[in-house]
Amino acid sequence: MTKNDLAMMEELARNLDRFAKDGVREKVMAGSEKITASTSKDKIAKWLKGAMDRLDSLVDEKTRNQVMENCGYSCADHNKKLIGRMTAKRKKFKSVDEFLEAEQRKPMRGTKLIREGDVLYYFYTPSTFSKSLRCYCGLLRGLPASEKVSSTYCHCSKGFVEKFWEGVLGRPVNVELVQSAVSGSQECKFAIRL
């Protein structure tokens, strides 16, 4: 487990305190105290799968999505350099449209863009890396191929995608989670309303 993994678990706990009713944090985070720096990736992924199942059973959809989207906002904050590099790249183009056309032709590794009018479909394809991944998130790197995780977890990525594209485009965007690799699809797909 890395420092980033530990920080992500701590962020989950903070957001549970922030958005869920009293007692939910303790139930969702049950067993996390046994996770240490030497805990294997598969045990971390299995714990997280269970945590998402507990979250799904304890709170309504709006609350659990809010918890996870705020985890994604924090992740975006930790990845300011990536967002800054993409923002600088966008500024080299005369218009947002030219930038998006260039990104569709040559997107960042592991991603794909398809634009249909005012909707930009943004795909994560973690299996395309040299070491095939189920998810870009370090907490799910050990998830066995046969296991699925609730799409609730992927609202973390939705939050990240929202802040990423808001930073790059310099304005608010509306993001919808369409499908998720860890929930059974071949890739993650987000619809970004421009």
Side-chain angles (χ1 to χ4, degrees), residues 73-152:
Y73 299 158
S74 178
C75 186
D77 192 49
H78 284 96
N79 285 281
K80 286 181 189 175
K81 289 182 182 180
L82 170 65
I83 296 169
R85 284 193 304 270
M86 285 299 288
T87 302
K89 184 176 180 181
R90 187 215 9 105
K91 290 179 179 179
K92 293 179 181 179
F93 291 86
K94 291 179 184 175
S95 70
V96 169
D97 289 335
E98 285 183 18
F99 165 72
L100 292 174
E101 287 171 17
E103 285 300 302
Q104 285 180 82
R105 287 190 302 272
K106 190 174 180 184
M108 289 186 303
R109 184 176 179 209
T111 67
K112 175 175 65 175
L113 295 172
I114 297 174
R115 186 172 183 182
E116 294 178 3
D118 288 340
V119 179
L120 181 66
Y121 292 98
Y122 187 53
F123 297 83
Y124 285 165
T125 313
S127 62
T128 61
F129 276 67
S130 55
K131 181 181 179 192
S132 181
L133 304 172
R134 292 285 309 280
C135 184
Y136 290 129
C137 179
L139 294 176
L140 284 178
R141 294 270 166 91
L143 186 68
S146 61
E147 296 277 341
K148 292 181 184 176
V149 173
S150 168
S151 63
T152 295

Side-chain angles (χ1 to χ4, degrees), residues 159-171:
F160 178 86
V161 168
E162 179 182 319
K163 292 302 176 189
F164 177 87
W165 283 101
E166 285 181 354
V168 171
L169 298 176
R171 60 182 170 79

